[in-house]
Amino acid sequence: EARLVESGGGLVQAGQSLTLSCVVSGIPFSRFYMSWVRQAPGKGQEWVSSISSDGEITYATSVKDRFTISRDNAKMTVYLQMNSLKSEDTARYYCAARLLPIDGEVKDVTYYTYNYWGKGTQVTVSS
């Protein structure tokens, strides 16, 4: 059974940093295309960043140059380093996995875009 468990969220002030982690089990992690997706209160899902099985990385324009995604296949973990956080980054952040990669930005994310999802971790940025 696939399991994705996020951690690292919290309450921070604008300009500060957080690092999110997602530990994966039950699937061949190294083969999967991994993403971070967020959802702010009252809004739809927003794709944040992805990293493919061979390390190709993409970011949403809103987070480029502030966020860094990485993966450690030995630890079956994907990370999201978030710097210079803004109030508009406030959201629940989800880790998601799919076997087939997506070229470029991931648009119109739905639950069915990915094969597996975590339960999320809350990030709140106070201004």
Side-chain angles (χ1 to χ4, degrees), residues 21-40:
S21 300
C22 173
V23 179
V24 179
S25 60
I27 60 173
F29 175 77
S30 64
R31 294 174 55 193
F32 273 72
Y33 172 90
M34 300 300 300
S35 296
W36 288 95
V37 176
R38 67 187 181 186
Q39 187 166 21

Side-chain angles (χ1 to χ4, degrees), residues 55-66:
E56 185 171 345
I57 289 172
T58 48
Y59 295 103
T61 302
S62 60
V63 307
K64 199 171 183 179
D65 298 327
R66 298 189 298 122

Side-chain angles (χ1 to χ4, degrees), residues 2-6 20-25 27 29 31-38 45-53 69-71 76-80 92-102 106 109-121:
R3 192 160 181 243
L4 286 67
V5 180
E6 303 94 335
L20 306 183
S21 300
C22 173
V23 179
V24 179
S25 60
I27 60 173
F29 175 77
R31 294 174 55 193
F32 273 72
Y33 172 90
M34 300 300 300
S35 296
W36 288 95
V37 176
R38 67 187 181 186
Q45 294 169 316
E46 178 190 12
W47 170 75
V48 175
S49 182
S50 296
I51 183 166
S52 70
S53 59
I69 191 171
S70 61
R71 66 190 296 161
M76 297 181 69
T77 302
V78 60
Y79 304 96
L80 186 68
R92 191 163 186 86
Y93 284 71
Y94 297 88
C95 174
R98 59 178 274 148
L99 190 56
L100 296 178
I102 296 174
V106 181
V109 175
T110 71
Y111 176 80
Y112 300 102
T113 301
Y114 292 89
N115 300 116
Y116 305 105
W117 290 84
K119 294 183 178 180
T121 186

